[in-house]
Amino acid sequence: MITASIVGASGYLGGELLRLLLGHPEVEVAAAVSTRMPGRRVDTAHPNLRECTDLRFCREDQLPDTDVLLLAAPHRETMRILPRLAARAKTVIDLSGDFRLTDPARYEQFYGVPHEAPELLGEFVPGCPELYRDRLRTADRIAVPGCMATAAILALAPLAEAGLIAPDVEVDARTGSSGSGATAGPQNLHSERSGALRIFSTGGHRHEAEIAAACGVRPRMTATGVEAVRGVQVVCRTTPVREITEPEVRAAYRRRYAGEPFVRVVAHRRGTYRLPEPKILLGANYCDVGFALDPGGGRLLAIAALDNLVKGGAGAAVQSLNVRMGWPERLGLEFTGIHPV
Amino acid sequence: MITASIVGASGYLGGELLRLLLGHPEVEVAAAVSTRMPGRRVDTAHPNLRECTDLRFCREDQLPDTDVLLLAAPHRETMRILPRLAARAKTVIDLSGDFRLTDPARYEQFYGVPHEAPELLGEFVPGCPELYRDRLRTADRIAVPGCMATAAILALAPLAEAGLIAPDVEVDARTGSSGSGATAGPQNLHSERSGALRIFSTGGHRHEAEIAAACGVRPRMTATGVEAVRGVQVVCRTTPVREITEPEVRAAYRRRYAGEPFVRVVAHRRGTYRLPEPKILLGANYCDVGFALDPGGGRLLAIAALDNLVKGGAGAAVQSLNVRMGWPERLGLEFTGIHPV
Amino acid sequence: MITASIVGASGYLGGELLRLLLGHPEVEVAAAVSTRMPGRRVDTAHPNLRECTDLRFCREDQLPDTDVLLLAAPHRETMRILPRLAARAKTVIDLSGDFRLTDPARYEQFYGVPHEAPELLGEFVPGCPELYRDRLRTADRIAVPGCMATAAILALAPLAEAGLIAPDVEVDARTGSSGSGATAGPQNLHSERSGALRIFSTGGHRHEAEIAAACGVRPRMTATGVEAVRGVQVVCRTTPVREITEPEVRAAYRRRYAGEPFVRVVAHRRGTYRLPEPKILLGANYCDVGFALDPGGGRLLAIAALDNLVKGGAGAAVQSLNVRMGWPERLGLEFTGIHPV
Amino acid sequence: MITASIVGASGYLGGELLRLLLGHPEVEVAAAVSTRMPGRRVDTAHPNLRECTDLRFCREDQLPDTDVLLLAAPHRETMRILPRLAARAKTVIDLSGDFRLTDPARYEQFYGVPHEAPELLGEFVPGCPELYRDRLRTADRIAVPGCMATAAILALAPLAEAGLIAPDVEVDARTGSSGSGATAGPQNLHSERSGALRIFSTGGHRHEAEIAAACGVRPRMTATGVEAVRGVQVVCRTTPVREITEPEVRAAYRRRYAGEPFVRVVAHRRGTYRLPEPKILLGANYCDVGFALDPGGGRLLAIAALDNLVKGGAGAAVQSLNVRMGWPERLGLEFTGIHPV
């Protein structure tokens, strides 16, 4: 049994961390820091946790020493918070974007401001066990990738690692509204966001840098907000470097993800849910990946879906923690998702 | 051809007034006042009006004299705005709640503050042609009823006027998110409001006072926010004062609304849309009314549906204007609604 | 460890039974009977179960002897299926409506056909531990109540049992589309059902009989299909028989449900989720109950929300099984629900 | 004043034809043929038309001679229906896919069956006034393009005609559920289709052939069903053949669509609705087109949105009819769309 504390606990990712860790058999939640709601019960912000906990949010200065510290604070703020809190915990898992990139110049390029703790950048291992499991076993600084990045990375990794695709990749990402967080602006008003098909990025998105670093590709991403609260789907358009066949691609995916507890290869010939779709993944830690190869073989779509707050955030953090602690990787993450929903 | 100006033009009701009046063959829109967005194009706030108009929002002090002034400003503000602007127009149509009640004490009871222009309260005729058509023909102060009130009033009027029901009425109102306006708070964030079944009032709602005044009943209203942007539906539980039959009720509705251009009696025995439902009314000025009588005759449900921004607001304003000007009542309001949607 | 088999396993309730029982630490799923899809993998119908099971649907004649048999077949069919299968299992849990009522005349009144196995009617204990826990401990015939009935029963029981309310109760039920099942007709086409506020019953619904039997009230129910896949909410309008206060009502609810693992009293003065709402219950076995008392005390609303496929069906079945077997009641039902969603 | 008759009038496109033509000042609807519902009132299938018409569906053999015949029947059936009915009207407008392609071999390639009236294929002019206005002025055989094809064609035409882009184009299409029609199968059940992000085509879609023919490009299309009833959005990934600038692209679009009544160029730098989105187009005949050029200029996204049943079907038919008859092109198509919705 270890203790865990969460900073940024009143936001949506903070709420998911609480949900997962309160249900985790090896973790005791020691503190939930919120600057917006100190003193309030955590189920005020997260009504799904009613009668699961009597915990209250606390201020940062009330944070106890803890075995693992999870940060779900905003980008730019986190690079100020983390240095002053890092000593409070042996292991730090950050869910913001501030420690995902290793190169400060790259950070400034994508985030528009200089990094304020560049000396820490190199210490973090990406919280993506499918790619970095061995390093995570001993990592005490973990940075969970962005939700759309995780989907794209898991869709592309089997192809990129096998050398099957050219480096230029078009990533079409679709995402629900919860990715904008609990304090978002007027464009997230229900009347405006409901029924949206809102192309909010046509290239240069921060997650491109993470995909590039993980897969060695040159991604170009568009992102569309769709009518959903949770869920991310990516469709990656790739070009095979040589003639390949559908069974060959299928084998590459199956081989790469054999034994992975949270990646399922979904590429069926028929059926309603024959390709990855977030609808059946809400609350679950799965990333479903699939593909479609053009008959001529000239184009290969790599597709993935996940719940942005679980596998795209809090679930990946818990899975990484499980790896770090040597626990069974599915611990506390057994929920399968529901259907229909 | 007359000129019309709109105050509060950047809000949702303001946008609907613009849409309807820009398409009205007898009206020229002279000015659109917005305190939030002066100088900006109106299609910035209302993207559906792109290429329909080059109009820009102006400040209140830029408001020209105009034939008709329509106010779509918030409650409490309007009772301050209206007195200083009333002289700018021959006819004033207010869509706020500030001039719907005639008794200042009643206003204070329901709105929680004293009325600041009580001397004007008696001047206003409700903008509900189905009940006040004759008075509207000469009215120069018109107050459009609330969206849920209009639905309940049109559902109940045929029963109340015919003396068929006891005064105690339970009104169950369901409403989309646009009724909260374009500047609503955190509970209207898409992630929170999406999929809601949110009982936000269990009695004492302001619209009760309007229903009481129009129908001579004692309403008790609950209101639930449902997953929709537009649309209001009310289910009114009434008690017949004597034994009545289904054909008798049907006749009461049909007789009462014979010739009404915007009220349809919808009470079919079968079919998917056999009772009023806002889904097929989006953008249209209809209020569909229907009913269901218990086999034993002991309970009579009166049901209505409308688009809260049209028949529940801007459309009622335009219909009232048509009545006032002696124009055909359907002018500028011909849109039938779409299906499916 | 016991074995469980499911009949009607390809439907939505069947899928939830599979999800819950596959994750139940004391149960092994022996067989999943489907007349529509024998031989197909269960994850064909229930894609959320991919990589959770390799089970395939079988025909009824392939059903093995099993410790517990769960039936999720349609009404009218179940009363034919159950007699011929009952001997195959020690314990039978039925989720259809066929064995919920004890009086064959009452069944015929509400279901429109004579009961074909009336001799079995009296054997069944309702699968509602909050009301029948003691009887369930030894029950080998369990009939899970209807989803809207469960919500209304749990909302009303504390008031009815304490003798606080008059027998006449208006129940306003709102429900998602999954209650219509996986083989529903044209009115369940997405284009027609999306955005619906469809009043599909205005009295005489079958669930009325269950509410009456459980709470000793005379319910009159209206039911509205709302835009949701899962979820039921009921608003019950009751009349106190004497002057009561809000703290008194609150105490009645808290006392009645003290220690109940799956009923939460939700009746807050403020906050977005201050009354029960299904949005935060998806996938969870909770029934949230709350209330609102008129200032004058003349009307008391009893409110409840649940996930119709879980606490309103499969979850109640598993909870009843836990009671029957003497296991901890939360076993296999720990999922808290997610927020936002 | 001319007479118009509709075949396939009980479907969704048939309903939109009825809505638009019943409101058209120069058209009288003579007959509405439905094989499913002969003798029933048209407002049974299309409840939005209640009190707009007393028309009833008739059988095909009751079809009178008529000035214009509009066919909204399924693919494959239409090529049998049209030859036997063509003589009944001077002008025929077909909304199916059967007469969109001119080459029978191409038809067989994309539709999987041989064409049964190949001799008629060459007679049809595409019902897309933006590309074929002059030919439409005298056309008596008009084939309205597919909804996704229209969006892609209008997005790509300014670029393709100006020789700005390479022929290989990736088209990412997103579509609501109404495109599947009123008689669709189990995957269109609300519980399954709600919240979907369903990639149902990854290449080889029939609309590719239309885009290729209209724009001289080699399109490769993926299509995703999104949570919406109406609406299509396409994102076309193109490669500029030379260095171009954003103002140059903007000028190409503006020039190409100057004076077009139903195409709006939407490519703003900021704002919630800065790129085309179907949400604000429901019921309207607009196709909004926009674009995004990569900073480096290496990739150019062409984007379009429309209502699949209006500009993507019935509205395009009426607009084409207006052109054919020499009427003002906006006649009967003035509805601007609503916001918010």
Side-chain angles (χ1 to χ4, degrees):
Chain A
M1 199 80 165
I2 64 167
T3 59
S5 294
I6 299 163
V7 172
S10 59
Y12 290 156
L13 280 171
E16 280 298 82
L17 285 171
L18 279 166
R19 174 176 77 84
L20 294 172
L21 294 175
L22 287 167
H24 195 292
E26 296 290 344
V27 175
E28 185 191 3
V29 177
V33 175
S34 166
T35 52
R36 278 194 302 137
M37 309 176 76
R40 310 273 309 267
R41 293 176 57 90
V42 303
D43 57 14
T44 310
H46 311 300
N48 57 322
L49 301 182
R50 284 170 180 157
E51 307 210 354
C52 302
T53 180
D54 288 315
L55 199 67
R56 289 174 181 274
F57 294 117
C58 65
R59 295 192 314 272
E60 191 190 301
D61 61 15
Q62 298 170 304
L63 186 70
D65 283 349
T66 189
D67 293 318
V68 59
L69 181 68
L70 299 110
L71 290 101
H75 310 326
R76 301 195 189 174
E77 281 185 38
T78 301
M79 62 187 172
R80 292 172 198 170
I81 297 171
L82 192 137
R84 71 178 179 247
L85 295 185
R88 313 298 295 274
K90 175 166 175 39
T91 303
V92 175
I93 303 180
D94 180 32
L95 284 81
S96 85
D98 279 356
F99 295 94
R100 291 177 190 157
L101 306 179
T102 50
D103 176 0
R106 192 92 166 140
Y107 182 88
E108 187 165 353
Q109 174 192 349
F110 277 91
Y111 287 78
V113 294
H115 203 286
E116 300 182 25
E119 69 284 3
L120 301 179
L121 282 181
E123 297 183 6
F124 282 77
V125 175
C128 180
E130 292 80 6
L131 270 78
Y132 306 98
R133 186 170 281 112
D134 276 348
R135 290 176 58 197
L136 286 169
R137 289 191 215 282
T138 56
D140 279 322
R141 296 289 180 270
I142 297 172
V144 175
C147 53
M148 297 185 286
T150 296
I153 289 166
L154 293 177
L156 292 168
L159 307 177
E161 292 174 8
L164 291 174
I165 53 171
D168 285 308
V169 174
E170 288 275 341
V171 178
D172 180 38
R174 301 98 182 256
T175 176
S177 61
S178 61
S180 301
T183 51
Q187 74 277 27
N188 267 293
L189 200 61
H190 181 268
S191 291
E192 304 293 339
R193 185 61 174 72
S194 178
L197 270 174
R198 194 153 300 152
I199 301 168
F200 64 92
S201 176
T202 55
H205 193 282
R206 292 158 182 180
H207 292 186
E208 288 180 6
E210 301 174 43
I211 302 165
C215 297
V217 295
R218 282 190 300 266
R220 199 72 190 140
M221 190 162 108
T222 59
T224 304
V226 299
E227 172 55 58
V229 171
R230 290 183 181 229
V232 158
Q233 184 188 55
V234 296
V235 181
C236 308
R237 287 167 172 78
T238 74
T239 309
V241 290
R242 57 173 177 81
E243 260 188 48
I244 50 174
T245 63
E246 199 270 3
E248 197 177 354
V249 178
R250 187 177 301 273
Y253 274 100
R254 291 214 181 279
R255 198 182 317 120
R256 179 62 178 82
Y257 292 129
E260 278 299 340
F262 292 113
V263 180
R264 302 185 292 198
V265 181
V266 175
H268 298 288
R269 288 224 172 58
R270 60 184 63 82
T272 301
Y273 299 88
R274 65 188 189 85
L275 286 168
E277 190 166 347
K279 176 181 163 76
I280 56 169
L281 301 175
L282 306 184
N285 196 49
Y286 289 111
C287 179
D288 283 353
V289 300
F291 65 92
L293 181 67
D294 266 23
R299 190 192 60 166
L300 174 56
L301 300 180
I303 300 164
L306 49 74
D307 180 329
N308 54 304
L309 298 179
V310 189
K311 185 61 177 166
V318 173
Q319 187 184 354
S320 297
L321 177 64
N322 288 344
V323 172
R324 170 66 186 82
M325 302 304 296
W327 298 328
E329 209 162 317
R330 299 179 59 97
L331 215 58
L333 297 169
E334 294 88 352
F335 183 63
T336 59
I338 49 178
H339 170 260
V341 67
Chain B
M1 201 79 167
I2 65 166
T3 59
S5 293
I6 300 163
V7 171
S10 59
Y12 290 157
L13 280 171
E16 279 298 82
L17 286 171
L18 280 166
R19 173 176 76 85
L20 294 173
L21 294 175
L22 287 167
H24 195 292
E26 296 290 344
V27 175
E28 185 193 1
V29 178
V33 174
S34 166
T35 52
R36 276 196 303 138
M37 309 176 75
R40 309 274 307 268
R41 294 177 56 91
V42 303
D43 58 15
T44 310
H46 311 302
N48 56 323
L49 301 182
R50 282 169 181 158
E51 306 212 354
C52 303
T53 180
D54 289 316
L55 199 68
R56 288 174 181 272
F57 295 116
C58 65
R59 297 192 312 273
E60 191 190 302
D61 60 16
Q62 297 170 305
L63 185 71
D65 283 351
T66 189
D67 293 319
V68 58
L69 181 68
L70 299 109
L71 290 102
H75 310 326
R76 299 193 194 175
E77 281 185 37
T78 301
M79 63 186 172
R80 292 171 199 170
I81 296 170
L82 191 137
R84 70 179 180 247
L85 295 185
R88 313 298 295 276
K90 177 167 172 37
T91 304
V92 174
I93 304 179
D94 180 32
L95 284 81
S96 86
D98 279 357
F99 295 94
R100 290 177 190 157
L101 305 179
T102 51
D103 176 0
R106 193 91 164 142
Y107 181 87
E108 188 165 351
Q109 175 192 347
F110 277 91
Y111 287 79
V113 294
H115 203 286
E116 299 182 24
E119 68 284 1
L120 299 180
L121 282 180
E123 296 182 7
F124 282 76
V125 175
C128 181
E130 292 80 5
L131 270 80
Y132 306 98
R133 187 170 281 113
D134 277 347
R135 291 175 59 196
L136 286 169
R137 289 191 215 283
T138 56
D140 280 323
R141 296 289 180 274
I142 297 171
V144 174
C147 53
M148 295 185 287
T150 295
I153 289 166
L154 293 176
L156 292 169
L159 307 176
E161 291 173 10
L164 292 174
I165 54 171
D168 285 308
V169 174
E170 288 276 340
V171 178
D172 180 39
R174 299 95 182 258
T175 177
S177 61
S178 61
S180 301
T183 50
Q187 75 276 26
N188 267 293
L189 201 62
H190 181 269
S191 291
E192 303 293 340
R193 185 60 176 73
S194 178
L197 269 175
R198 193 153 299 150
I199 301 170
F200 64 91
S201 176
T202 56
H205 193 281
R206 292 157 183 182
H207 291 186
E208 288 181 5
E210 301 175 43
I211 301 166
C215 297
V217 296
R218 284 192 299 265
R220 202 68 191 145
M221 191 162 109
T222 59
T224 304
V226 298
E227 171 54 60
V229 171
R230 290 182 180 227
V232 159
Q233 185 188 57
V234 296
V235 180
C236 308
R237 287 169 171 77
T238 75
T239 310
V241 291
R242 58 174 176 79
E243 261 186 47
I244 49 174
T245 63
E246 199 269 3
E248 199 177 354
V249 178
R250 187 176 299 273
Y253 274 99
R254 291 215 181 278
R255 198 181 318 120
R256 180 60 180 79
Y257 292 128
E260 278 299 340
F262 292 114
V263 181
R264 302 186 294 198
V265 181
V266 175
H268 298 289
R269 287 222 173 59
R270 62 185 62 82
T272 301
Y273 299 89
R274 65 187 189 86
L275 286 169
E277 191 167 344
K279 176 180 162 76
I280 56 169
L281 301 175
L282 305 185
N285 196 49
Y286 290 111
C287 179
D288 284 352
V289 300
F291 64 90
L293 181 68
D294 265 23
R299 192 193 59 165
L300 174 56
L301 301 180
I303 300 163
L306 49 74
D307 180 328
N308 54 306
L309 297 179
V310 189
K311 185 61 177 168
V318 172
Q319 187 184 353
S320 297
L321 178 64
N322 287 344
V323 172
R324 170 65 185 82
M325 303 304 296
W327 298 328
E329 209 161 318
R330 299 179 59 96
L331 216 60
L333 297 168
E334 294 88 353
F335 182 64
T336 60
I338 49 179
H339 170 259
V341 69
Chain C
M1 201 78 167
I2 66 167
T3 59
S5 294
I6 300 164
V7 172
S10 60
Y12 291 158
L13 280 171
E16 279 297 82
L17 286 171
L18 279 165
R19 174 176 75 85
L20 294 172
L21 294 175
L22 287 167
H24 195 293
E26 297 289 345
V27 175
E28 184 192 2
V29 177
V33 174
S34 167
T35 52
R36 279 195 300 138
M37 310 175 76
R40 311 275 305 269
R41 294 177 57 91
V42 303
D43 58 15
T44 311
H46 310 300
N48 56 321
L49 301 182
R50 283 169 180 158
E51 306 210 356
C52 302
T53 180
D54 288 316
L55 199 67
R56 290 175 180 271
F57 295 116
C58 65
R59 294 192 314 274
E60 191 191 301
D61 60 15
Q62 298 170 303
L63 186 70
D65 282 349
T66 188
D67 294 317
V68 58
L69 181 67
L70 299 109
L71 290 102
H75 310 326
R76 299 193 192 174
E77 280 186 38
T78 301
M79 62 186 171
R80 291 173 199 169
I81 296 171
L82 192 136
R84 69 175 179 250
L85 296 185
R88 313 297 294 276
K90 176 167 174 38
T91 304
V92 174
I93 303 180
D94 179 32
L95 285 80
S96 86
D98 279 357
F99 294 94
R100 291 176 191 159
L101 305 179
T102 50
D103 176 0
R106 192 94 165 141
Y107 181 88
E108 187 164 353
Q109 174 192 347
F110 278 90
Y111 287 78
V113 295
H115 203 287
E116 299 183 24
E119 69 283 2
L120 300 180
L121 281 180
E123 297 183 7
F124 283 78
V125 176
C128 181
E130 292 81 4
L131 270 78
Y132 306 97
R133 185 169 283 110
D134 276 348
R135 292 176 58 195
L136 286 168
R137 289 190 214 284
T138 56
D140 280 322
R141 297 289 179 270
I142 297 172
V144 175
C147 53
M148 297 185 285
T150 296
I153 290 166
L154 293 176
L156 292 169
L159 307 177
E161 291 173 9
L164 292 174
I165 54 170
D168 285 307
V169 174
E170 288 275 341
V171 179
D172 181 39
R174 299 96 182 256
T175 177
S177 62
S178 61
S180 300
T183 51
Q187 75 275 24
N188 268 293
L189 201 61
H190 181 267
S191 291
E192 304 293 339
R193 186 61 176 71
S194 178
L197 269 175
R198 193 152 301 150
I199 301 169
F200 64 92
S201 176
T202 56
H205 194 281
R206 292 158 183 179
H207 292 186
E208 288 180 6
E210 300 175 44
I211 301 166
C215 297
V217 296
R218 284 191 299 266
R220 200 69 191 144
M221 190 162 108
T222 59
T224 304
V226 299
E227 172 55 59
V229 171
R230 289 183 181 228
V232 159
Q233 185 189 56
V234 296
V235 180
C236 307
R237 287 168 172 79
T238 74
T239 309
V241 291
R242 58 174 178 82
E243 262 187 47
I244 50 173
T245 63
E246 199 270 3
E248 198 176 355
V249 178
R250 186 176 301 273
Y253 274 100
R254 290 215 181 279
R255 199 182 316 121
R256 179 61 180 81
Y257 292 128
E260 279 299 339
F262 292 114
V263 181
R264 301 185 293 197
V265 182
V266 175
H268 298 290
R269 288 222 173 59
R270 62 184 63 82
T272 301
Y273 299 88
R274 65 187 189 85
L275 286 169
E277 191 166 345
K279 176 181 162 77
I280 55 169
L281 301 175
L282 306 184
N285 196 47
Y286 289 112
C287 179
D288 283 353
V289 301
F291 65 90
L293 181 67
D294 265 24
R299 191 192 59 165
L300 173 55
L301 300 181
I303 301 163
L306 50 73
D307 180 327
N308 54 304
L309 297 180
V310 189
K311 184 61 176 167
V318 173
Q319 187 185 353
S320 297
L321 178 64
N322 287 345
V323 172
R324 170 66 185 83
M325 302 305 295
W327 299 327
E329 209 161 318
R330 300 179 59 97
L331 215 61
L333 297 168
E334 294 88 351
F335 182 64
T336 60
I338 48 178
H339 170 261
V341 70
Chain D
M1 198 80 168
I2 66 167
T3 58
S5 294
I6 300 163
V7 171
S10 59
Y12 291 158
L13 280 171
E16 280 299 83
L17 286 170
L18 279 165
R19 174 176 77 84
L20 295 172
L21 294 175
L22 287 167
H24 195 292
E26 297 289 345
V27 175
E28 187 192 359
V29 177
V33 174
S34 166
T35 52
R36 277 195 303 139
M37 308 176 75
R40 310 273 310 265
R41 294 176 56 91
V42 302
D43 57 15
T44 309
H46 311 301
N48 56 323
L49 301 182
R50 283 171 181 157
E51 306 210 353
C52 302
T53 180
D54 288 316
L55 198 67
R56 287 173 182 275
F57 294 116
C58 66
R59 296 192 312 273
E60 191 191 301
D61 59 17
Q62 298 170 305
L63 185 71
D65 283 349
T66 190
D67 293 318
V68 59
L69 182 68
L70 299 109
L71 290 101
H75 310 325
R76 300 194 191 176
E77 281 185 37
T78 300
M79 62 187 172
R80 292 172 198 171
I81 296 171
L82 191 136
R84 70 178 179 249
L85 295 185
R88 313 297 296 274
K90 178 167 173 37
T91 304
V92 175
I93 304 180
D94 180 31
L95 284 82
S96 85
D98 279 355
F99 295 93
R100 291 177 190 156
L101 306 179
T102 50
D103 176 1
R106 192 94 165 139
Y107 181 88
E108 188 165 351
Q109 174 192 348
F110 277 92
Y111 286 78
V113 294
H115 204 286
E116 299 183 24
E119 68 285 3
L120 299 180
L121 281 181
E123 297 182 8
F124 282 77
V125 176
C128 181
E130 293 80 6
L131 270 78
Y132 307 98
R133 186 169 282 112
D134 276 348
R135 291 175 60 195
L136 285 169
R137 289 191 215 284
T138 57
D140 280 322
R141 296 290 179 270
I142 297 172
V144 175
C147 53
M148 296 185 286
T150 296
I153 289 167
L154 293 176
L156 292 169
L159 308 177
E161 292 174 9
L164 292 174
I165 54 171
D168 285 309
V169 174
E170 287 276 341
V171 178
D172 180 39
R174 299 97 182 256
T175 177
S177 61
S178 61
S180 302
T183 51
Q187 76 276 28
N188 267 292
L189 201 62
H190 180 269
S191 291
E192 303 294 340
R193 185 60 175 73
S194 178
L197 270 174
R198 194 154 300 152
I199 300 168
F200 63 91
S201 176
T202 55
H205 194 281
R206 293 158 182 180
H207 292 186
E208 288 180 5
E210 302 175 43
I211 302 165
C215 297
V217 296
R218 285 191 299 264
R220 199 71 191 140
M221 191 161 107
T222 60
T224 304
V226 298
E227 172 54 60
V229 172
R230 290 183 180 228
V232 159
Q233 184 188 56
V234 296
V235 180
C236 308
R237 289 170 170 78
T238 73
T239 310
V241 290
R242 58 174 176 81
E243 262 188 46
I244 50 174
T245 64
E246 199 271 3
E248 198 177 355
V249 178
R250 187 177 299 273
Y253 274 101
R254 290 212 182 280
R255 198 181 318 119
R256 180 61 180 81
Y257 292 130
E260 277 299 340
F262 292 114
V263 180
R264 301 185 294 198
V265 181
V266 175
H268 298 290
R269 287 223 173 58
R270 61 184 63 81
T272 301
Y273 298 89
R274 66 187 188 84
L275 286 169
E277 191 167 345
K279 175 181 163 76
I280 56 169
L281 301 175
L282 306 185
N285 196 47
Y286 290 110
C287 179
D288 284 352
V289 300
F291 65 90
L293 181 67
D294 265 23
R299 191 193 60 165
L300 173 56
L301 300 180
I303 301 163
L306 49 74
D307 180 330
N308 54 306
L309 297 180
V310 189
K311 185 61 176 168
V318 173
Q319 186 184 354
S320 298
L321 178 64
N322 287 344
V323 172
R324 171 63 186 83
M325 303 303 297
W327 298 328
E329 208 161 318
R330 299 179 58 97
L331 216 60
L333 297 169
E334 295 87 353
F335 183 63
T336 59
I338 49 179
H339 170 259
V341 69

